[in-house]
């Protein structure tokens, strides 16, 4: 049988993927005796394009799913996409604006239709790209966060939380456009630097000098409720017991200490205006302060503004500055260029404003989240993320779940048109405290999926649904069970929930992971997964994050085009280590591509000896087994064991590296070379036996490698498949270690042979013996020499050695190099002597090595100096420091090597 000389990933990958999908191989085996193993995909946005982060995340999930499938689990990987409210709405709005339209002009219903049309047309880009990566998701179970079933789940969840008293309506600070009279999401606010001023204003005290604060918006001081300083700022410690007075209105203000204060801004003391600044709002929440709104929705000053009531906010600003100056309270004015938010539609300056929103009361849910780790065995890998998770839950704030956009799950709440507006007006007349929650009965608020026929407070029948939609994360936190059919009691739900492991990045531990755990416990009574594997972030070499704005993107689809998905996947897994960040460059993917080529070439060599279309590994005959045969089979058993252990422990890099080492070095570099020798023996039975061992190993290696490199392994496995046509490696079993093949004796003897060959090769390389010249080898040693005699041919072939003499005392000729092998259990210590007279001039070599040593020493010294510089260590990005440390280690290893070489000449 002959394989094409070069492997062509593009052709094989698309062929195999459609074959697998067509045959339903991605669906879990329905055999009820099989244990389920389930992963739910972190749903990419429908607007998404596959980036390197997705590639890593989904490769790791696919490795686990393919591995468990081979281990006999009913493995299910549930795919799907997220409607990504704001992102998708923005994309469609941008399209509309090209036609000169706004969503308001189109109207809500028409606009939503447009978004759906966009989703139908472009929303599957990312799932097609996941296919190119080789992701073995069960596409027959693909879900979308706005599909019918998931929308029902969202309604059900909202109602259940509401009935449990965990959802309430209250106030939150939002971005407000006074002209459009609407709240804007953060993404809808455009920031622009604008030349302005920083005013330093003295706030008097009842006794003493008071304190100076700086502000860019003096008109908001009318709504101040406190002055804040940083807890570690000693400049103002005397203030804490004083009563500070608000300029002009003379209202008493508290002095609070809060770590959110930026000590470097202005004087380090800041005014706290909770109704008009988000940072102040959050600070006030922490300190139990109330908020005073000083503006109407159109940004005219309201009654709380005292003498300025009725003025426009910017007119008020001018007048306040004049008045402060007149009263001697304006200490200083500085030029200043703050970044100011503008409405993306009308360019009006945003006015942060308190407005009513829906919230989830989080502390009872956070208790469930904490319990998950402390009692239910939820495990983070690496473990350090459990602390981050717990810390966040212990300091959790209520979750604002309403968004002022149209694309998403509309909030199932209805407002009575007689009760609600009157209630809100009444409420806004007083200062608001943050725990001030709407009383639904009085406010005429009705939570219901369908329109209530009448208001339960006034009997009125004009009820209007909330305009807002739910935060996108409100549907994704239900993902592990909503995708399996909840709230229906489906077979999938009872079979596959709880899922087995979640694989994700650290950036969504709070947004998503923690919330899924709480939702799982609250709605299902069980944590949604036992293990959470958190992988690192993709960076570029040098430490920077990979991002569009920095222009340093490496496109995974480009890598797939050029080198194949297998190369991409293998290189990425090879680089993960204990959840550390990954430092990428284009060339890092060569590792995977070269590995695929190495495997292809080895397979060609093995298969060219086979007749027919597919080879059948048959049991080999122990009678013909040589030491190298026994060694490679034993090594293989260990590799199987190590790979299995590594994958069970989510040590992907260890598994990839272990297999790489085995295939590239043990199998290809050593055993294949020796197998060629064995085949030359002329004994037909022995030759046949060697061929069978090669086939057996190749077939086993393909199965071990399959989770990492699914395509090339399938392509080759079809040629060596033991089961015959119609089978797939995807459903083949994971190799089990067979202890019968474990052979410590063979490993020790072959280890000694390898040591001899390696030493001879090192000597040849170090002293620059020309490739075509063979050397002779004298070995001085006592115990174990007989083993060596039986394998002289291997040393001669692999070490380019002609004559080998051994004995317990050998005379060392002049102009020779000696290398020492330490004793092993079955071997005494050996001296390997290689005479080099006539081959190289050792005097010249010595001088060269000494020069080399000096050069390396000075480079190592320079690196040491740099690394001991504390300024460098604190300023350089972590990636750079790590790279420097790594290269110092390499230099030190080289230093040791050359020092050793010098000794060999002595
Ligand atoms: Zn506007
Ligand atoms: Zn009513």
């Amino acid at each position: 049988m002959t394989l094409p000389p070069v492997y062509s990933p593009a052709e094989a990958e698309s062929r195999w993927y459609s074959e697998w999908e067509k045959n339903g191989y991605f669906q879990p085996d329905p055999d009820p005796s099989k244990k389920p193993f389930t992963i739910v995909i972190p749903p990419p946005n429908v607007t998404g394009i596959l980036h390197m982060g997705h590639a890593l995340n989904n490769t790791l999930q696919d490795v686990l799913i393919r591995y468990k499938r081979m281990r006999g689990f009913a493995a299910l990987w549930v795919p799907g996409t997220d409607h990504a409210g704001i992102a998708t709405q923005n994309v469609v709005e941008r399209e509309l604006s090209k036609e000169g339209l706004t969503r308001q002009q189109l109207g809500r219903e028409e606009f939503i239709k447009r978004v759906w049309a966009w989703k139908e047309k472009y929303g599957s880009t990312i799932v097609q790209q996941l296919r190119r990566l080789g992701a073995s998701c069960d596409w027959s179970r693909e879900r979308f966060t706005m599909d019918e079933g998931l929308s029902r789940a969202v309604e059900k969840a909202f109602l259940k939380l509401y009935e449990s008293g965990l959802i309430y309506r209250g106030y939150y600070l939002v971005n407000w456009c006074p002209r459009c009279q609407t709240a804007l999401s953060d993404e809808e606010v455009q920031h622009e630097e604008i030349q302005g001023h920083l005013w330093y204003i003295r706030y008097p005290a009842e006794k003493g000098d008071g304190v100076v604060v700086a502000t860019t918006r003096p008109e908001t001081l009318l709504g101040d409720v406190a002055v804040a300083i940083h807890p570690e700022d000693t400049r103002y410690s005397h203030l804490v017991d004083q009563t500070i007075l608000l300029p002009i209105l003379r209202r008493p203000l508290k002095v609070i200490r809060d770590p959110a204060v930026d000590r470097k801004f202005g004087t380090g003391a800041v005014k706290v205006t909770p109704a008009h600044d988000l940072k102040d709002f959050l600070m006030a929440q922490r300190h139990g302060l109330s908020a005073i709104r000083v503006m109407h929705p159109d940004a005219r000053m309201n009654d709380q503004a005292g003498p300025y009531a009725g003025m426009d906010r910017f007119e008020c600003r001018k007048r306040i500055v004049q008045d402060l100056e007149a009263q001697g309270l304006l200490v200083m004015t500085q030029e200043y260029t703050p970044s100011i938010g503008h409405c993306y539609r009308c360019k009006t300056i945003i006015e942060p404003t308190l407005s009513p929103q829906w919230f989830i009361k989080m502390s009872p849910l956070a208790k469930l989240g904490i319990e998950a780790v402390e009692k239910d065995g939820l495990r983070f890998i690496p473990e350090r993320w459990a602390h981050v998770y717990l810390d966040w839950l212990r300091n959790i704030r209520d979750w604002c779940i309403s968004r002022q956009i149209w694309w998403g799950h509309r909030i199932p709440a209805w407002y009575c048109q007689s009760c609600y507006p009157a209630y809100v007006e009444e409420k806004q007349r007083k200062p608001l405290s943050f725990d001030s929650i709407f009383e639904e009965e009085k406010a005429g608020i009705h939570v219901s999926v369908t329109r209530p026929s009448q208001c339960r407070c006034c009997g009125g029948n004009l009820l209007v649904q909330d305009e807002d939609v739910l935060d996108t994360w409100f549907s994704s936190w239900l993902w592990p069970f909503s995708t399996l059919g909840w709230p229906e009691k489906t077979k999938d739900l009872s079979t596959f929930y709880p899922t087995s492991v979640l694989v994700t990045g650290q950036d969504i531990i709070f947004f998503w992971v923690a919330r899924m755990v709480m939702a799982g416990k609250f709605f299902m009574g069980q944590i949604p997964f036992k293990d959470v594997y958190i992988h690192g972030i993709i960076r570029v070499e040098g430490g920077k994050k990979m991002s569009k704005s920095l222009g340093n993107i490496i496109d995974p689809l480009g890598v797939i085009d050029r080198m194949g998905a297998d190369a991409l996947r293998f290189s990425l897994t090879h680089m993960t280590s204990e959840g550390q960040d990954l430092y990428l460059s284009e060339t890092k993917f060569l590792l995977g591509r070269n590995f695929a080529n190495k495997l292809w070439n080895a397979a060609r060599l093995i298969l060219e000896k086979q007749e027919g279309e597919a080879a059948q590994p048959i049991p080999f005959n122990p009678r013909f087994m040589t030491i190298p045969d026994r060694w490679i089979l034993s090594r293989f058993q260990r590799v199987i064991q190590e790979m299995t252990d590594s994958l069970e422990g989510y040590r992907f890099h260890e598994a990839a590296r272990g297999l790489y080492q085995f295939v590239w070095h043990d199998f290809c570099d050593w055993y294949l070379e020796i197998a060629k020798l064995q085949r030359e023996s002329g004994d037909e039975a022995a030759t046949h036996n060697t061929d069978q061992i090669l086939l057996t190993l190749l077939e086993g290696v393909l199965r071990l490698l399959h989770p990492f490199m699914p395509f090339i392994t399938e392509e080759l496995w079809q040629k060596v498949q033991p089961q015959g046509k119609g089978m797939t490696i995807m459903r083949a079993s994971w190799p089990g270690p067979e202890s019968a093949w474990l052979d410590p004796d063979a490993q020790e003897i072959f280890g000694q042979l390898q040591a001899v060959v390696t030493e001879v090769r090192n000597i040849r390389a170090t002293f620059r013996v020309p490739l075509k010249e063979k050397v002779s080898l004298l070995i001085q040693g006592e115990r174990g020499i007989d083993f060596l005699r039986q394998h002289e041919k291997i040393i001669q072939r692999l070490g380019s050695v002609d004559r080998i003499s051994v004995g317990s005392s050998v005379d060392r000729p002049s102009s020779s190099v000696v290398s020492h092998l330490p004793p092993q259990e079955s071997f005494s210590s050996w001296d390997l002597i290689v005479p080099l007279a006539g081959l190289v001039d050792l005097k010249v070599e010595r001088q060269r090595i000494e020069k080399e040593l000096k050069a390396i020493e000075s480079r190592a010294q320079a690196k040491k100096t740099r690394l001991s510089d504390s300024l460098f260590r604190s300023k350089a990005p972590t990636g750079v420091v790590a790279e420097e440390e790594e290269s110092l280690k390499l230099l030190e290893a080289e230093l040791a090597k050359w020092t050793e070489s010098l000794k060999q000449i002595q």
Side-chain angles (χ1 to χ4, degrees):
M1 172 195 331
T2 48
L3 287 179
V6 179
Y7 174 58
S8 145
E11 186 275 323
E13 290 180 359
S14 65
R15 176 161 42 84
W16 281 118
Y17 199 90
S18 41
E19 188 76 6
W20 293 331
E21 193 171 358
K22 194 178 76 198
N23 284 300
Y25 292 152
F26 300 150
Q27 288 164 31
D29 194 326
D31 178 352
S33 70
K34 289 197 167 181
K35 275 215 256 164
F37 178 86
T38 316
I39 299 181
V40 288
I41 204 169
N45 291 348
V46 276
T47 51
I49 303 286
L50 194 83
H51 57 59
M52 220 29 114
H54 292 126
L56 170 68
N57 176 257
N58 289 290
T59 294
L60 297 181
Q61 293 177 73
D62 199 42
V63 167
L64 289 174
I65 279 286
R66 286 182 185 268
Y67 162 68
K68 290 288 182 174
R69 196 182 282 126
M70 292 175 83
R71 288 210 66 181
F73 286 80
L76 169 62
W77 186 8
V78 185
T81 46
D82 194 298
H83 67 282
I86 291 163
T88 313
Q89 175 159 325
N90 282 349
V91 168
V92 177
E93 282 195 87
R94 272 203 297 276
E95 278 201 346
L96 279 182
S97 75
K98 283 182 203 149
E99 302 167 29
L101 282 170
T102 66
R103 70 176 152 111
Q104 283 80 6
Q105 284 169 322
L106 216 57
R108 185 167 190 139
E109 211 174 307
E110 277 306 305
F111 178 75
I112 299 288
K113 271 190 205 156
R114 288 286 290 254
V115 186
W116 274 107
W118 182 92
K119 191 256 169 190
E120 292 314 316
K121 201 163 165 200
Y122 301 109
S124 59
T125 304
I126 183 96
V127 299
Q128 292 307 334
Q129 292 169 339
L130 286 172
R131 284 175 166 92
R132 291 205 55 202
L133 187 67
S136 61
C137 303
D138 181 357
W139 299 107
S140 70
R141 285 175 165 87
E142 183 183 349
R143 302 307 295 264
F144 175 52
T145 48
M146 292 240 311
D147 69 24
E148 223 183 296
L150 268 66
S151 300
R152 251 201 320 279
V154 163
E155 286 164 4
K156 173 87 183 175
F158 190 97
L159 290 181
K160 188 167 177 202
L161 287 164
Y162 182 74
E163 280 154 17
S164 314
L166 294 180
I167 283 192
Y168 65 89
R169 191 151 172 83
Y171 278 93
Y172 195 73
L173 204 77
V174 294
N175 305 303
W176 185 262
C177 174
R179 201 205 67 87
C180 302
Q181 298 266 321
T182 178
L184 300 174
S185 68
D186 291 341
E187 288 78 5
E188 291 168 318
V189 176
Q190 291 174 344
H191 288 271
E192 206 181 307
E193 293 204 332
I194 289 193
Q195 178 64 49
H197 296 95
L198 190 58
W199 287 279
Y200 287 74
I201 302 164
R202 177 173 303 282
Y203 282 34
E206 276 182 342
K207 286 172 245 158
D209 295 339
V211 61
V212 175
V213 305
T215 179
T216 57
R217 296 191 299 156
E219 70 282 5
T220 62
L221 72 77
L222 301 164
D224 284 2
V225 298
V227 167
I229 55 172
H230 192 276
E232 281 152 24
D233 196 335
T234 50
R235 290 174 292 176
Y236 298 106
S237 37
H238 61 284
L239 281 183
V240 174
D241 301 326
Q242 289 195 24
T243 303
I244 299 292
L245 294 174
L246 182 66
I248 298 169
L249 297 182
R250 308 284 292 173
R251 191 167 62 226
L253 300 177
K254 274 191 180 169
V255 177
I256 58 169
R257 294 167 166 279
D258 195 284
V261 175
D262 177 3
R263 277 180 276 183
K264 291 192 197 97
F265 177 77
T267 60
V270 296
K271 62 200 268 306
V272 181
T273 322
H276 294 276
D277 182 283
L278 182 62
K279 201 170 157 191
D280 293 4
F281 171 83
L282 299 172
M283 215 185 301
Q285 225 176 12
R286 286 195 285 275
H287 295 271
L289 300 169
S290 60
I292 301 169
R293 298 155 50 111
V294 295
M295 286 176 214
H296 293 295
D298 62 359
R300 272 179 314 110
M301 306 311 288
N302 68 16
D303 293 348
Q304 293 290 341
Y308 307 98
M311 281 180 204
D312 171 74
R313 56 181 163 164
F314 297 116
E315 175 61 22
C316 173
R317 178 178 297 179
K318 244 188 256 164
R319 291 284 296 279
I320 280 197
V321 172
Q322 284 167 9
D323 293 349
L324 289 170
E325 198 162 15
Q327 293 177 24
L329 294 177
L330 186 65
V331 180
M332 169 167 82
T333 307
Q334 262 180 4
E335 297 283 301
Y336 193 69
T337 316
S339 163
I340 297 202
H342 292 73
C343 171
Y344 81 114
R345 282 199 294 269
C346 71
K347 311 295 172 215
T348 302
I349 292 179
I350 294 302
E351 190 60 50
T353 302
L354 272 179
S355 89
Q357 304 286 338
W358 286 99
F359 293 88
I360 298 184
K361 210 179 274 175
M362 291 308 281
S363 63
L365 294 174
K367 271 202 197 93
L368 299 178
I370 292 166
E371 224 175 67
V373 168
E374 291 178 347
K375 289 202 196 124
D376 308 324
L378 178 72
R379 204 160 66 106
F380 279 83
I381 302 116
E383 215 189 325
R384 62 178 186 275
W385 294 112
H387 303 289
V388 176
Y389 164 92
L390 287 172
D391 209 45
W392 183 72
L393 286 177
R394 287 182 182 127
N395 298 292
I396 202 160
R397 289 208 314 261
D398 285 356
W399 175 15
C400 175
I401 50 171
S402 40
R403 292 291 179 274
Q404 288 72 48
I405 55 171
W406 287 351
W407 175 240
H409 303 276
R410 196 156 170 183
I411 291 174
W414 306 77
Y415 304 99
C416 167
Q417 291 307 287
S418 351
C419 303
Y420 185 72
Y423 179 86
V424 172
E425 200 173 303
E426 165 75 25
K427 206 168 178 74
Q428 292 193 351
R429 237 174 273 141
K430 303 172 211 149
L432 296 166
S433 72
F434 295 102
D435 42 18
S436 116
I437 292 170
F438 284 52
E439 302 130 297
E440 284 92 11
E441 297 280 342
K442 275 198 213 164
I445 300 174
H446 303 69
V447 167
S448 160
V449 172
T450 52
R451 179 193 301 273
S453 53
Q454 65 178 86
C455 169
R456 66 189 156 192
C457 342
C458 71
N461 56 10
L462 195 55
L463 287 121
V464 173
Q465 187 170 9
D466 198 314
E467 287 289 319
D468 292 353
V469 300
L470 289 162
D471 180 5
T472 295
W473 298 103
F474 192 92
S475 42
S476 10
W477 79 324
L478 312 173
W479 191 246
F481 43 93
S482 63
T483 50
L484 295 172
W486 187 88
E488 310 309 323
K489 291 193 170 80
T490 59
K491 187 157 178 287
D492 268 7
L493 192 61
S494 59
T495 311
F496 296 107
Y497 189 90
T499 70
S500 310
V501 55
L502 180 79
V503 179
T504 190
Q506 63 200 58
D507 48 338
I508 48 177
I509 293 180
F510 307 143
F511 278 132
W512 194 47
V513 181
R515 285 174 182 160
M516 277 193 289
V517 174
M518 294 186 268
K521 292 256 310 180
F522 184 78
F523 296 108
M524 297 292 297
Q526 259 180 308
I527 52 173
F529 25 75
K530 262 248 167 336
D531 291 347
V532 180
Y533 177 79
I534 305 284
H535 55 71
I537 294 174
I538 300 277
R539 296 181 185 280
V540 289
E541 272 183 330
K544 285 213 178 77
K545 242 175 132 164
M546 201 176 272
S547 85
K548 235 187 232 159
S549 56
L550 291 172
N552 57 7
I553 298 275
I554 302 174
D555 173 18
L557 295 163
V559 176
I560 293 176
D561 286 340
R562 290 190 297 280
M563 309 192 197
D566 285 338
L568 174 78
R569 294 167 58 115
F570 190 82
S571 307
L572 283 174
T573 26
H574 193 270
M575 271 184 270
T576 56
S577 67
E578 309 285 339
Q580 303 291 332
D581 292 351
L582 283 77
Y583 297 92
L584 294 194
S585 65
E586 198 75 42
T587 52
K588 293 263 169 95
F589 297 102
L590 291 174
L591 176 125
R593 193 201 60 184
N594 295 345
F595 190 45
N597 289 342
K598 183 92 172 174
L599 183 72
W600 185 260
N601 291 336
R604 277 190 80 211
L605 200 80
I606 294 166
L607 293 172
E608 73 185 3
K609 300 278 183 265
Q610 302 295 325
E611 282 159 24
E613 251 187 57
Q616 293 263 319
I618 53 158
F620 26 81
N621 190 341
R623 196 159 64 84
F624 298 107
M625 299 277 271
T626 63
I627 289 286
D629 296 343
R630 286 165 54 197
W631 162 76
I632 193 76
L633 286 167
S634 179
R635 265 290 289 143
F636 186 53
Q637 302 317 311
R638 287 195 198 280
V639 168
I640 294 171
Q641 190 59 56
E642 285 162 10
M643 286 270 298
T644 308
D645 291 348
S646 303
L647 286 176
E648 290 296 327
Y650 303 105
R651 295 185 303 278
F652 299 95
H653 61 297
E654 231 177 69
R657 287 171 200 189
L659 194 55
Y660 181 92
Q661 171 71 27
F662 177 76
V663 172
W664 194 291
H665 299 292
D666 296 334
F667 186 53
C668 294
D669 289 352
W670 288 96
Y671 187 71
L672 262 182
E673 291 307 310
I674 291 167
K676 284 182 202 162
L677 256 181
Q678 291 186 170
R679 275 164 153 180
E680 288 164 11
S681 69
D683 180 337
E684 203 177 310
T687 302
H688 183 66
N689 210 49
T690 302
D691 287 345
Q692 290 310 317
I693 292 171
L694 283 169
L695 262 188
T696 304
L697 286 167
L698 176 63
E699 196 275 336
V701 158
L702 292 174
R703 278 187 286 152
L704 285 182
L705 192 53
H706 176 71
F708 301 87
M709 299 182 119
F711 296 107
I712 192 175
T713 51
E714 180 78 290
E715 181 78 359
L716 289 173
W717 194 76
Q718 294 299 325
K719 315 285 185 197
V720 295
Q721 55 174 329
Q723 286 99 333
K725 263 198 159 9
M727 276 293 295
T728 168
I729 191 170
M730 282 186 62
R731 294 276 168 104
S733 64
W734 183 252
E738 283 170 48
S739 51
W741 293 117
L742 281 177
D743 193 335
D745 292 345
Q747 285 200 279
E748 200 203 355
I749 297 167
F750 193 77
Q752 185 77 355
L753 276 174
Q754 278 183 307
V756 172
V757 171
T758 306
E759 278 309 313
V760 173
R761 285 176 174 172
N762 284 346
I763 288 170
R764 295 183 60 105
T766 307
F767 299 98
R768 302 191 298 181
V769 178
L771 280 178
K772 58 181 190 333
E773 302 285 354
K774 287 194 186 308
V775 295
S776 54
L777 175 62
L778 315 172
I779 299 179
Q780 176 170 294
E782 282 165 5
R783 226 152 24 86
I785 286 287
D786 289 347
F787 290 125
L788 183 108
R789 283 219 174 88
Q790 293 159 21
H791 297 96
E792 276 183 356
K793 271 201 180 126
I794 292 176
I795 296 170
Q796 284 167 333
R797 171 74 67 92
L798 272 49
S800 258
V801 172
D802 47 18
R803 215 162 42 86
I804 303 178
S805 348
V806 293
S808 52
S809 82
V810 175
D811 287 331
R812 180 177 173 184
S814 61
S815 273
S816 66
V817 169
V818 66
S819 178
H820 184 75
L821 291 186
Q824 309 289 326
E825 203 170 309
S826 318
F827 302 94
S828 60
S829 68
W830 290 4
D831 279 336
L832 310 181
I833 302 160
V834 179
L836 292 178
L839 291 170
V840 291
D841 184 342
L842 275 182
K843 222 190 258 164
V844 175
E845 293 306 310
R846 180 199 300 270
Q847 282 165 356
R848 183 178 61 88
I849 292 169
E850 281 167 347
K851 212 169 127 196
E852 188 74 28
L853 260 175
K854 266 197 198 127
I856 297 170
E857 251 164 5
S858 77
R859 270 162 64 205
Q861 193 50 48
K863 284 215 187 296
K864 269 189 206 156
T865 315
R866 192 155 185 226
L867 279 166
S868 62
D869 179 353
S870 55
L871 194 69
F872 167 72
R873 293 193 83 100
S874 63
K875 294 272 184 225
T878 25
V880 172
V881 176
E883 273 169 34
E884 282 289 286
E885 276 170 347
E886 189 56 32
S887 81
L888 177 61
K889 248 188 239 158
L890 290 179
L891 283 178
E892 278 169 347
E894 226 179 308
L895 215 53
K897 192 193 96 187
W898 287 113
T899 312
E900 190 55 36
S901 306
L902 260 194
K903 270 194 220 146
Q904 290 177 337
I905 320 182
Q906 316 288 318

